[in-house]
Amino acid sequence: MVRTPLSPEEHERGERLGRLLREARGTRTMAEVAASAGISAETLRKIETGRAPTPAFFTVAALARVLGLSMDELVGRCASIAA
């Protein structure tokens, strides 16, 4: 299966998601948050740095739960500013 390249907007949305998650994590370590969400610290690192701009829905949902964020809030804050 060949994956289509991401658009610049999709990359930007992934970077916004990463920043939001990083801010919500606060002083907690990546390892602590990742373990609570059931993902690896490396996966969280990739999401936070924008290297994984389109993480799986259930990964985002698990992180939102651990960080006390609603999915509506994530969608609203990660949506394109121009939209």
Side-chain angles (χ1 to χ4, degrees):
M1 180 170 134
V2 176
R3 188 172 185 179
T4 57
L6 298 176
S7 70
E9 293 81 17
E10 290 169 317
H11 279 285
E12 289 173 22
R13 186 176 57 229
E15 290 172 1
R16 284 192 297 275
L17 173 63
R19 280 192 301 273
L20 176 61
L21 295 175
R22 200 168 38 253
E23 290 169 7
R25 183 166 55 85
T27 60
R28 291 178 279 185
T29 67
M30 274 189 184
E32 176 186 350
V33 170
S36 295
I39 63 172
S40 71
E42 181 59 24
T43 297
L44 180 55
R45 181 176 293 108
K46 287 178 181 178
I47 294 168
E48 284 190 358
T49 60
R51 287 184 13 227
T54 58
F57 172 81
F58 290 104
T59 299
V60 176
L63 287 167
R65 178 187 51 80
V66 168
L67 296 171
L69 300 168
S70 74
M71 292 300 283
D72 287 338
E73 180 181 5
L74 284 176
V75 169
R77 292 186 59 187
C78 293
S80 175
I81 296 168

